[in-house]
Amino acid sequence: MAKHKITRNKYGMVFSIDLMLALIIITVILGVSADAMDIVSSKIEDYSYGNSLERITQAGADMLVKTPGNPDNWEKFPDLNGVIPGLSDLELNKKTHSNVISMVKVKRLQENYDKLMEGKVIPSHYKSTLVIYPVDQSLEPINVNIDGNDSSTGVFVENRTVLCNYLNTTEIVFINARDQSLLSSQEQLGDECPHWEVNGSQVHSKVDYKNRKAGWACYPLKITDIMLNSTDFYLMTVPTSIEDSTSVWMIDRPENRTENTQFFKNKPILLNGMMKEIMGNNSAAVIWLHVYSSGNPDKAFNTHLAAFPKGTPPENVKVQYLIPQPCYFVFKVWV
């Protein structure tokens, strides 16, 4: 009897040890499973957060680049309450069929960034930066908003390629050396140059590069006092340094013709003072630009008369600014 009792106790001890080992293994499995669940849950949460932030960043970039805002001309409103910002330039987009952003709208956004962005383009508790980098590295980037700490690891970036009229310039006259019939945005305001057939003499006969015949390229432009007060008018050439030593230019008006020609200076020439003098007491006038060249195609050059915003630094007066430039639209968002 005692022997059987000892055996039963031995079996009981073995069962207890087995149960304890099983419980330990189950506890370890449960612990590992709990950790795994925590990791998975954390990853799901991170993915959900990241996915949401990514959607917010993409939607914000789309709103800014692809829409003009609401209303379309919101940049002209003194009161921005209720305005939804967008940077698309409707007029240039219709002409180019490309994503062109308006520099006027960009500057308005720059001046009122937080008010226009938070709660409208991105949620109110989110932060963002916006910088426009020109592809042409000789042009300066535009820092629309660089405040804030975007060094967080949870930053999403949208980089779009768009076109931007960086300085809100306008090309008034473009004289193409090869084709004087090309005008960028200016229609003829008169039939012939006022110097044509003066006293029966063809004073300003047209230049002919095909036959290497020297002559003039002449185009009119309408100027007002309002334009002179808000705009700097510059005369520029491409290339900047002209090899044609005979080339000269002048501006006048039909009512007050002149023969006073000027040499090009291998740099942009500010015309406001001369234009004001030609206009006299008139509030508006049609002024003619005359450019003389030798007709030698090897020394041909293009001439631009362009309008820049008043007070534009001379170092920013560049031909590149006359057409919308390709740029990188870099939009960052984080919490």
Side-chain angles (χ1 to χ4, degrees):
M1 289 291 294
K3 182 178 181 180
H4 289 300
K5 187 180 290 187
I6 293 171
T7 301
R8 283 197 300 269
N9 288 342
K10 186 184 296 184
Y11 288 150
M13 290 175 63
V14 171
F15 177 77
S16 298
I17 293 172
D18 289 344
L19 180 60
M20 183 178 65
L21 290 174
L23 289 173
I24 291 172
I25 293 171
I26 291 171
T27 302
V28 171
I29 291 173
L30 289 174
V32 171
S33 298
D35 288 341
M37 288 299 292
D38 286 342
I39 293 172
V40 170
S41 176
S42 177
K43 287 185 176 294
I44 291 174
E45 185 178 342
D46 288 344
Y47 176 78
S48 176
Y49 164 78
N51 220 23
S52 174
L53 186 57
E54 183 178 13
R55 286 197 303 271
I56 289 170
T57 309
Q58 290 175 346
D62 284 341
M63 182 185 296
L64 293 172
V65 170
K66 296 182 179 181
T67 73
N70 187 17
D72 292 347
N73 61 339
W74 63 268
E75 73 279 7
K76 298 178 182 179
F77 285 32
D79 185 0
L80 297 177
N81 289 325
V83 164
I84 304 297
L87 303 178
S88 178
D89 190 318
L90 286 180
E91 185 176 347
L92 286 177
N93 282 340
K94 290 177 182 177
K95 292 180 180 179
T96 63
H97 303 289
S98 304
N99 285 332
V100 183
I101 57 177
S102 164
M103 194 60 212
V104 177
K105 292 183 176 181
V106 168
K107 287 188 174 180
R108 197 82 166 97
L109 177 62
Q110 188 179 41
E111 295 165 355
N112 304 271
Y113 191 84
D114 291 338
K115 182 175 183 177
L116 288 170
M117 293 292 289
E118 294 182 9
K120 297 178 179 180
V121 179
I122 58 174
S124 57
H125 59 284
Y126 282 53
K127 301 296 181 183
S128 67
T129 61
L130 176 57
V131 181
I132 300 170
Y133 297 95
V135 174
D136 184 344
Q137 295 184 2
S138 69
L139 307 179
E140 293 294 324
I142 302 169
N143 296 317
V144 183
N145 185 62
I146 56 173
D147 294 334
N149 179 19
D150 63 351
S151 60
S152 169
T153 56
V155 177
F156 271 88
V157 181
E158 274 294 303
N159 190 344
R160 307 289 179 88
T161 301
V162 297
L163 296 175
C164 179
N165 186 358
Y166 279 91
L167 294 184
N168 196 33
T169 58
T170 303
E171 188 170 53
I172 306 298
V173 172
F174 169 47
I175 299 178
N176 187 307
R178 307 294 181 178
D179 186 359
Q180 282 80 52
S181 67
L182 293 180
L183 284 171
S184 58
S185 60
Q186 179 72 35
E187 295 180 357
Q188 290 282 45
L189 297 174
D191 294 330
E192 295 289 350
C193 165
H195 292 265
W196 179 256
E197 293 186 349
V198 177
N199 298 324
S201 175
Q202 294 182 359
V203 177
H204 277 194
S205 57
K206 294 182 179 180
V207 62
D208 185 350
Y209 283 96
K210 183 178 180 180
N211 296 306
R212 292 177 175 265
K213 181 181 177 182
W216 296 82
C218 309
Y219 289 108
L221 57 147
K222 186 175 182 179
I223 300 297
T224 67
D225 278 339
I226 294 175
M227 294 170 67
L228 284 175
N229 291 333
S230 62
T231 306
D232 285 336
F233 292 93
Y234 279 93
L235 186 67
M236 297 180 287
T237 62
V238 177
T240 305
S241 180
I242 299 174
E243 296 182 6
D244 186 349
S245 60
T246 66
S247 62
V248 292
W249 65 274
M250 65 181 187
I251 57 174
D252 62 7
R253 55 185 297 194
E255 299 86 351
N256 185 18
R257 292 191 301 267
T258 181
E259 298 298 332
N260 297 326
T261 59
Q262 309 279 336
F263 285 104
F264 290 95
K265 297 181 180 180
N266 297 333
K267 66 178 182 179
I269 301 171
L270 182 63
L271 300 179
N272 285 52
M274 189 177 295
M275 286 181 172
K276 184 64 178 175
E277 183 178 346
I278 292 172
M279 286 179 63
N281 295 325
N282 301 105
S283 60
V286 174
I287 294 176
W288 281 76
L289 168 68
H290 314 268
V291 176
Y292 178 86
S293 56
S294 66
N296 183 346
D298 297 328
K299 298 180 179 180
F301 59 92
N302 293 338
T303 308
H304 303 263
L305 196 159
F308 285 74
K310 196 74 172 178
T312 298
E315 61 270 19
N316 287 343
V317 178
K318 301 177 181 180
V319 173
Q320 296 100 307
Y321 284 126
L322 299 185
I323 58 173
Q325 289 289 313
C327 60
Y328 302 116
F329 184 93
V330 182
F331 182 50
K332 298 181 182 181
V333 179
W334 71 98
V335 178

